[in-house]
Amino acid sequence: MKTKILKLLKDSSGYVSGQDICNCLGVSRTAVWKVMNQLKEEGYEIEAVPNRGYRIISSPDIVTADEIKSLLNTRRIAGDIRYYEETSSTNTVAKQLAETSDADGLLVIAEQQTAGKGRRGKGWVSPKGSGIWMSLVLKPAINPISASMLTLVAALAAARAIRQTTGLESFIKWPNDLVLNGKKICGILTEMSSEPDYINHVVIGMGINANIESFPEEIQDTATSLYLESGQKVKRSQLTAAVMSCFEEYYERFLEQQSLEPFLNEYNQWLINCGREVRIIEAGCEYTGTAEGINKEGHLVILLSDGTKKEVISGEVSVRGLYGYV
Ligand code: BTN
């Protein structure tokens, strides 16, 4: 009921009468009054005017399930949201939930992670109240070979949602990172459980450095936040809801074709590596070339100095700019 009341208040530009809320949700005046008090305790500013009703003045910067749901218009993504004030890693929780339930589209989100995971066994700095630490459980009926493309779909969704919500133009550093002014603002960690020809589940973990004010010294040169780059705090629930909507749109088109063909132009425009010299670090060998963009399988196409082309597969290599992180 709290989610529905919140949505009614947020969808209205003016006052919503207590009676209308009661009629719409089939609940008593006292029940509505109690929810209004709970919302106020959570930090929502709600004005109550006799004979006019309730009006929402401001919302706190929180990422609870109620707050995100009140902003969502998706059909299959984030229908179920599990919110934790603190957890070890949303990817770990999401994998556990994926194993025990039919959780397609389930979103796990936390205010703080105590053991946030990055790629290649690294950690992920996930302080309280300033980032978006979330994991989406998917059970797509696609070949496991195609699952790595979901990371690229998620990166596209995040880049578009950041533009929509903040006006900031980030870029994709193939395949897992989003960068802004040469520093990382978002990382994606995709984990999968599968049989040779069947996906049990895919967990897409995404960390967005939204309102972080400072980073540990070791990563200060390579990491930044939307706040540090723009001077503006972002409403994290709004950005989360936007990522979910954008993801749903791309995901449905991706499932129809099981290919990145429909997004090639768009993706390559967001791709920071495009047209740049990159160094590819593969098990046992390193080489440089010019990144030309991705192909429909999501591989990065590299033009080598002898004029031949090589397709690089994500997960098997590391891609670096010649002069630093990007
Ligand atoms: C990377 O760039 O190395 C990937 C970072 C992924 C971080 C996110 S935060 C939410 C989710 N839970 C985790 O433990 N990791 C991912």
Side-chain angles (χ1 to χ4, degrees), residues 153-165:
V153 173
L156 257 185
R160 199 168 104 199
I162 287 171
R163 180 167 68 190
Q164 253 175 29
T165 314

Side-chain angles (χ1 to χ4, degrees), residues 61 82 100 104 113 121 124 161 200 204 212 242 259 275 320 322:
D61 180 30
R82 308 290 170 91
T100 52
D104 191 31
Q113 295 184 119
W124 182 260
N200 298 319
I204 299 183
I212 296 184
S259 144
R320 304 260 167 80
L322 287 196

Side-chain angles (χ1 to χ4, degrees), residues 87-92 108 110 113 115-126 132-136 176-178 184 186-191 203-208 325:
T87 190
S88 54
S89 150
T90 54
N91 264 38
T92 306
V108 179
Q113 295 184 119
K117 294 192 295 182
R119 275 176 300 132
R120 301 179 200 284
K122 290 191 186 153
W124 182 260
V125 176
S126 322
I132 299 175
W133 323 128
M134 62 181 173
S135 304
L136 197 54
N176 303 68
D177 297 349
L178 253 59
K184 180 159 165 172
C186 169
I188 299 170
L189 174 66
T190 302
E191 298 186 85
V203 167
I204 299 183
M206 189 181 279
I208 305 179
Y325 163 66

